[in-house]
Amino acid sequence: MRRIMSSRTQNTKSRDALQNSRKARGRAPFLFLAPAIIVVFAVLIFPIIFSLFVSTYDWPLSQGAGARSFVGFGNYIALTKDPEFWNSLKLQLGFIFLAIPIELVVGFAAALLLNREFFGSRVVRSLLLLPVFFLPILSGMTWRFMLQPRYGPLNALIVRLGGPEISWLGNPIYAYIAIILQDIWRMWPFMFMLLYAGLTAIPQELMEAAEIDGAGFWRKLGSLTIPLLTPTILTAVLLRIIDALRVFSEVYVMTEGGPGSATMLFSLYTQRQAFGYQKVGMASAMAIFLLIISIVFALTLVRKNMSLDVLEEKAGA
Amino acid sequence: MMGTPRKRTRKIIVNSIIAIVAFLVLAIELYPIAITVLNGFRRDINILSGQPFQLKQLTLRSYQLVLKNAGFQLGMKNSIIIGILSTGISVLIGAMASYGIARFHFRGRNGLAYSFLVFRMLPQISLVISLYLMFSAVGLRDTIGGITLAHTSFNVPYVIWLLLPFFTAVDKAYEEAAMVDGCTRSGVFFKIFLPIVAPGLVVGAVFAFLNSWNEFMYALILTGVKAKTAPVAINGLLGGETLTWGQACAAGTIMLIPVFIFTLGMQKFLIRGITAGGVKG
């Protein structure tokens, strides 16, 4: 700092340098951003535009681009008449509406429980996060194993408790429950992690003041903790929805969408359309549909958090 | 203060109960992971017969088999190469862009920054079909270059937002001083700024590597034989006529080693790492 001060007042040469740099500033941000913009254009924006283009064609994958024929909105209209499309949409929404609220409740309860120091509290808090970073395909594989009839540990437990032996992944309803169970197992610690961070950010004096005023656990929870945590909860839920909209690997490894199409979530059906039925045009129409929904949620999250301004304020303070 | 000792005993009891409950929850939560790791050290015969685990079952046979498996060997090699390449490219390009956003106020800055954030959240399935057609057209399908490029597509926007808080936290005075001394903007960036933010770059590199390491869908669709990654190879182990759980679990455990090392070593940055830009500050 001292060096700047002295050079600003004494050294005219460096004043020139400063002014030059201001002139050069017009181009500088572009030079720094250009590589990223080029990459984003090549592997994100162009593919999206290309998807839009493909989605207006009847485009059989196996016969190459030569066999395509223009159908306009034909693929989108065909989708609305495709029961499998509605099935995958229904399963996808069900997945989101069943898994995420449970993850939120479990994660919140755990955050409340673990928001204190006890013997081993740090160890518990950090090890709980391992499933979040567990490879998705390994999560799918692990649960496929857990749920096997005859030798799967979960079945063994159910049988020991006197229950029936269930062929989880062979039964449509149980398979659907199983993929949701897998997601809850892997992702409630994610909710826990964000909510715990939110809880520790609540000023302790607030809680103590409420205690002095005679507020009990539930009163504090309802009138202090939950209102103060609402922004964190919203962020966590939005992040999870965006993530759950694109779930693929875990379910692909667990069930490949089966039995039948009982666990054929949106991404799995899109993949099946493109590379199973070879209908690239139809698949692209589905891809665009999911893209629009995801962008809506992503924009909601971005608008809500406006992280850039927060960062600047923090840096300026 | 008559109540104090009694209060303290009560607190100890409550905390002990909570500790017991917490460790119980942790045990249940980690049980499936433990089972997977353990199965890697058992024979398929013992796994498939549903016998309870016994110490004398422990064997390295599955590891020997899977490490000799040509498909998995190639997958591991590819995963490491693709991970390092896409991480290097993403951190370099992402750091430059992040610097551009953190340090310059130009028109459309917010719009650009937020669109990077939105791009990070797009579903892969929406991009993979056109990437498949594009890569097929230009001969990038089933090549290391192609899948690296695909991984770069999610890692660049990710790194930009992961680095922003590290970058905005650096005082501008360092760079201004260097510019006064006649250093160019790029000189300032590479020689002054990057060394200051080295810890942030390490965090960015670790998480970018893990993103690539864990990725499955692009690898499944955009690679076939030559450029397939380890997750695709593991999926292959599960798809055969006979289920080779032992080998699949051994392979999975090998994949988990870097994940666990980095996760436990990066405690401080986990929230930033997993939400990069999605959460305030």
Side-chain angles (χ1 to χ4, degrees):
Chain A
M1 278 302 275
R2 200 178 298 141
R3 209 158 92 197
I4 305 173
M5 300 283 268
S6 60
S7 47
R8 262 184 195 158
T9 47
Q10 291 163 13
N11 197 336
T12 47
K13 209 174 118 196
S14 61
R15 195 180 291 156
D16 286 345
L18 253 184
Q19 269 165 0
N20 281 342
S21 78
R22 273 203 201 102
K23 234 178 274 167
R25 186 170 285 181
R27 246 171 347 119
F30 177 71
L31 291 179
F32 278 104
L33 286 156
I37 292 172
I38 291 169
V39 167
V40 163
F41 187 83
V43 284
L44 291 162
I45 295 173
F46 184 73
I48 290 170
I49 296 169
F50 190 53
S51 266
L52 267 171
F53 171 76
V54 176
S55 77
T56 60
Y57 280 86
D58 181 14
W59 188 316
L61 181 65
S62 51
Q63 290 156 49
R68 71 184 183 214
S69 55
F70 184 74
V71 292
F73 286 108
N75 286 324
Y76 294 91
I77 295 164
L79 275 185
T80 63
K81 292 174 189 152
D82 175 13
E84 286 288 291
F85 168 79
W86 291 109
N87 176 55
S88 74
L89 195 61
K90 196 182 74 191
L91 294 175
Q92 183 70 53
L93 290 177
F95 183 85
I96 289 170
F97 282 113
L98 287 170
I100 294 177
I102 298 176
E103 286 161 15
L104 176 64
V105 170
V106 176
F108 190 40
L112 286 174
L113 184 76
L114 299 182
N115 185 23
R116 71 193 80 215
E117 296 311 313
F118 55 85
F119 175 73
S121 56
R122 274 158 174 257
V123 177
V124 172
R125 283 197 294 260
S126 47
L127 287 181
L128 262 185
L129 303 182
L130 285 183
V132 181
F133 294 88
F134 203 50
L135 282 78
I137 64 141
L138 291 187
S139 182
M141 178 183 94
T142 298
W143 281 94
R144 189 165 142 193
F145 177 78
M146 296 278 295
L147 300 172
Q148 289 293 326
R150 288 193 0 266
Y151 57 86
L154 201 70
N155 259 321
L157 181 73
I158 293 172
V159 171
R160 187 172 298 173
L161 294 176
E165 180 143 27
I166 303 167
S167 172
W168 285 84
L169 302 180
N171 173 306
I173 291 170
Y174 283 119
Y176 188 57
I177 295 172
I179 61 166
I180 291 172
L181 197 69
Q182 180 273 141
D183 196 71
I184 294 170
W185 170 77
R186 207 163 73 85
M187 281 305 177
W188 77 256
F190 171 84
M191 289 285 192
F192 158 74
M193 176 167 74
L194 291 190
L195 295 177
Y196 173 75
L199 274 183
T200 52
I202 295 177
Q204 204 56 47
E205 302 87 68
L206 265 179
M207 288 296 169
E208 278 160 16
E211 266 165 49
I212 289 166
D213 290 346
F217 173 79
W218 294 107
R219 185 73 210 279
K220 275 192 293 175
L221 187 68
S223 346
L224 264 181
T225 316
I226 291 179
L228 285 170
L229 270 187
T230 304
T232 312
I233 292 173
L234 277 176
T235 301
V237 169
L238 273 172
L239 278 167
R240 281 298 300 132
I241 290 176
I242 290 164
D243 209 37
L245 274 172
R246 54 182 180 183
V247 62
F248 176 85
S249 315
E250 309 88 307
V251 181
Y252 183 87
V253 174
M254 247 176 114
T255 66
E256 267 190 80
S261 47
T263 56
M264 193 71 84
L265 300 184
F266 203 88
S267 287
L268 283 109
Y269 186 52
T270 311
Q271 190 257 1
R272 173 73 57 93
Q273 276 279 2
F275 303 103
Y277 306 153
Q278 310 268 310
K279 289 181 183 169
V280 185
M282 283 283 268
S284 293
M286 289 186 71
I288 294 294
F289 179 81
L290 184 67
L291 189 76
I292 291 169
I293 297 176
S294 296
I295 289 178
V296 169
F297 279 107
L299 283 176
T300 313
L301 181 69
V302 169
R303 290 181 82 100
K304 192 178 93 56
N305 278 2
M306 294 303 252
S307 314
L308 206 54
D309 298 337
V310 175
L311 286 178
E312 306 245 290
E313 276 162 33
K314 270 184 136 186
Chain B
M1 294 297 274
M2 286 280 287
T4 313
R6 196 188 287 168
K7 233 180 176 174
R8 195 174 295 156
T9 355
R10 208 188 134 210
K11 203 177 165 197
I12 289 171
I13 292 170
V14 169
N15 272 356
S16 317
I17 293 170
I18 285 172
I20 291 165
V21 173
F23 275 98
L24 211 65
V25 171
L26 183 69
I28 295 170
E29 185 65 13
L30 296 187
Y31 180 72
I33 299 181
I35 284 282
T36 300
V37 174
L38 202 60
N39 276 344
F41 294 98
R42 297 172 77 195
R43 279 169 198 273
D44 284 331
I45 273 198
N46 296 330
I47 298 170
L48 291 170
S49 64
Q51 292 169 357
F53 172 72
Q54 290 163 332
L55 266 181
K56 66 170 194 243
Q57 290 174 349
L58 285 180
T59 165
L60 286 172
R61 210 180 132 68
S62 294
Y63 280 88
Q64 285 165 352
L65 284 172
V66 85
L67 286 172
K68 264 189 276 174
N69 181 315
F72 183 66
Q73 273 180 3
L74 181 67
M76 278 306 273
K77 201 182 98 195
N78 287 340
S79 270
I80 292 169
I81 294 172
I82 293 160
I84 291 172
L85 280 178
S86 79
T87 301
I89 297 169
S90 309
V91 169
L92 178 66
I93 293 179
M96 286 172 71
S98 208
Y99 184 75
I101 292 169
R103 283 298 189 254
F104 300 99
H105 288 263
F106 51 91
R107 268 180 59 192
R109 171 174 173 267
N110 278 8
L112 188 71
Y114 294 139
S115 48
F116 282 131
L117 188 51
V118 171
F119 278 127
R120 187 179 98 64
M121 300 176 187
L122 299 185
Q124 287 180 301
I125 191 72
S126 295
L127 299 160
V128 74
I129 298 162
S130 15
L131 286 177
Y132 179 90
L133 295 173
M134 287 159 59
F135 283 6
S136 300
V138 297
L140 274 175
R141 193 153 57 94
D142 199 17
T143 63
I144 300 277
I147 188 70
T148 301
L149 196 62
H151 283 187
T152 309
S153 77
F154 54 75
N155 266 341
V156 166
Y158 175 82
V159 169
I160 291 175
W161 274 90
L162 187 63
L163 291 181
L164 267 177
F166 290 102
F167 283 17
T168 48
V170 177
D171 196 327
K172 281 181 188 154
Y174 295 105
E175 296 147 78
E176 280 167 5
M179 290 194 57
V180 165
D181 291 346
C183 209
T184 60
R185 258 293 169 189
S186 59
V188 167
F189 174 69
F190 285 107
K191 289 187 207 134
I192 314 280
F193 191 76
L194 285 189
I196 297 174
V197 293
L201 297 181
V202 171
V203 175
V206 164
F207 284 110
F209 182 82
L210 287 186
N211 282 343
S212 170
W213 187 252
N214 291 359
E215 201 281 329
F216 176 68
M217 187 206 280
Y218 282 166
L220 179 75
I221 293 171
L222 300 176
T223 72
V225 186
K226 283 183 293 157
K228 75 171 175 195
T229 61
V232 177
I234 293 178
N235 181 52
L237 287 174
L238 290 170
E241 287 285 297
T242 49
L243 284 172
T244 48
W245 286 114
Q247 283 188 58
C249 290
T253 306
I254 296 170
M255 289 292 293
L256 273 179
I257 295 170
V259 177
F260 281 2
I261 291 176
F262 288 143
T263 311
L264 295 176
M266 289 264 156
Q267 283 296 323
K268 233 177 95 185
F269 301 107
L270 286 187
I271 290 193
R272 269 194 205 178
I274 205 160
T275 62
V279 173
K280 275 182 193 165

